[in-house]
Amino acid sequence: MNGTVPPTGEIDGPRRLLITLSVIAATTLQALDNTIANVALPRMQGSVSATQDQMSWVLTSYIIAAAIMTPLSGWLAGRVGRRRVFLVSVAGFTVASMLCGLAQSLPQIVLARLLQGLCGAALVPLSQAVLLDVNPPERQPRAMAVWAMAATLGPIMGPALGGWLTENYNWRWVFYINVPFGILAFLGILSSLPDSAIRKSRFDFFGFTALSAGVGSMQLVFDRGQLKDWFSSTEIWIEATVAAVAFYLFLVQ
């Protein structure tokens, strides 16, 4: 199964279907976790004895980690191979989900969510690239339609599924639900997805650092602005200034 991606005509129907189901499952998991934890926050808050302001980091940490890591995923895929990056991302996302469910304190949850965001960032862009690679041109519009439906339904289903799991089981199942589907996606990708060609390319670490600082700071402004009364808060001013300077440096670079 290793080696570079074969022409789409050499990938038979059952193998193409397995690849599609596996990458769609990975996409859905990542999209679902953008919103599934929202409704569980009040139960989590009581469990770890945290304030509402502190609990916001459970959501913010995931979003910021994913936003920072997404630009790096394409370079990593070209550097070490798309298959390896995909497998590491799915495995890391699954392990991080289990750690979120096992967490006993707020710092543990936030750290696990950071890992979840870092590992999950590559799943959406790489799944789209994989579907374009394994499908012939006439099948690509249908494949992209299925991919878009999974990426869109995930955030929509998140609050409803999270509320049902929290009400009928426990808030920890908001994260445990990812584990069996993550394992299935990992096994499906491991057994069916061929590797892509390795492309050595230079990486602009200064530009990436500036972009990461800008995206992370801007995300903090959006996520914490309402809690801090926007620009009445010194914190928001600092984050907005860091974002503006970082984006300027990125554009100049």
Side-chain angles (χ1 to χ4, degrees):
M1 296 298 177
N2 292 322
T4 58
V5 175
T8 54
E10 296 179 14
I11 300 178
D12 56 32
R15 185 179 178 189
R16 185 184 295 122
L17 178 62
L18 180 57
I19 293 172
T20 300
L21 291 176
S22 300
V23 300
I24 289 297
T27 300
T28 304
L29 288 179
Q30 196 278 344
L32 193 68
D33 267 62
N34 283 316
T35 57
I36 194 172
N38 295 30
V39 294
L41 287 182
R43 301 286 182 91
M44 295 167 64
Q45 182 178 343
S47 178
V48 299
S49 301
T51 65
Q52 183 179 358
D53 187 29
Q54 290 172 329
M55 289 305 300
S56 67
W57 286 105
V58 175
L59 305 178
T60 304
S61 59
Y62 178 85
I63 296 172
I64 290 178
I68 290 174
M69 193 64 183
T70 298
L72 193 60
S73 59
W75 179 80
L76 284 174
R79 190 79 178 181
V80 302
R82 189 177 295 155
R83 183 172 184 267
R84 288 193 185 98
V85 175
F86 220 130
L87 288 171
V88 170
S89 296
V90 174
F93 187 87
T94 304
V95 170
S97 297
M98 186 170 61
L99 292 176
C100 286
L102 294 172
Q104 300 298 316
S105 66
L106 180 63
Q108 290 178 2
I109 297 177
V110 172
L111 288 174
R113 287 284 282 177
L114 274 171
L115 178 61
Q116 200 180 34
L118 289 173
C119 293
L123 296 180
V124 171
L126 290 187
S127 62
Q128 188 177 27
V130 166
L131 289 177
L132 289 174
D133 277 349
V134 302
N135 284 280
E138 64 273 14
R139 290 178 175 268
Q140 288 178 0
R142 183 182 301 175
M144 287 299 97
V146 174
W147 177 88
M149 183 173 64
T152 304
L153 284 179
I156 295 174
M157 291 167 49
L161 180 59
W164 184 80
L165 289 170
T166 304
E167 189 68 27
N168 291 279
Y169 296 96
N170 187 286
W171 67 262
R172 299 181 187 278
W173 281 96
V174 167
F175 303 108
Y176 289 150
I177 191 69
N178 293 334
V179 176
F181 294 102
I183 292 173
L184 290 175
F186 180 88
L187 294 176
I189 294 166
L190 181 66
S191 62
S192 62
L193 183 64
D195 208 346
S196 58
I198 302 297
R199 301 186 307 275
K200 301 292 184 180
S201 59
R202 187 180 69 86
F203 187 72
D204 182 4
F205 284 98
F206 179 83
F208 171 72
T209 302
L211 178 62
S212 298
V215 170
S217 299
M218 185 60 67
Q219 190 64 53
L220 282 172
V221 171
F222 291 146
D223 284 354
R224 297 181 59 77
Q226 188 173 2
L227 292 172
K228 296 294 184 178
D229 196 20
W230 296 103
F231 289 99
S232 298
S233 167
T234 303
E235 177 190 329
I236 300 302
W237 271 109
I238 293 173
E239 290 162 357
T241 302
V242 171
V245 172
F247 281 129
Y248 171 76
L249 293 174
F250 170 73
L251 291 173
V252 170
Q253 176 71 3

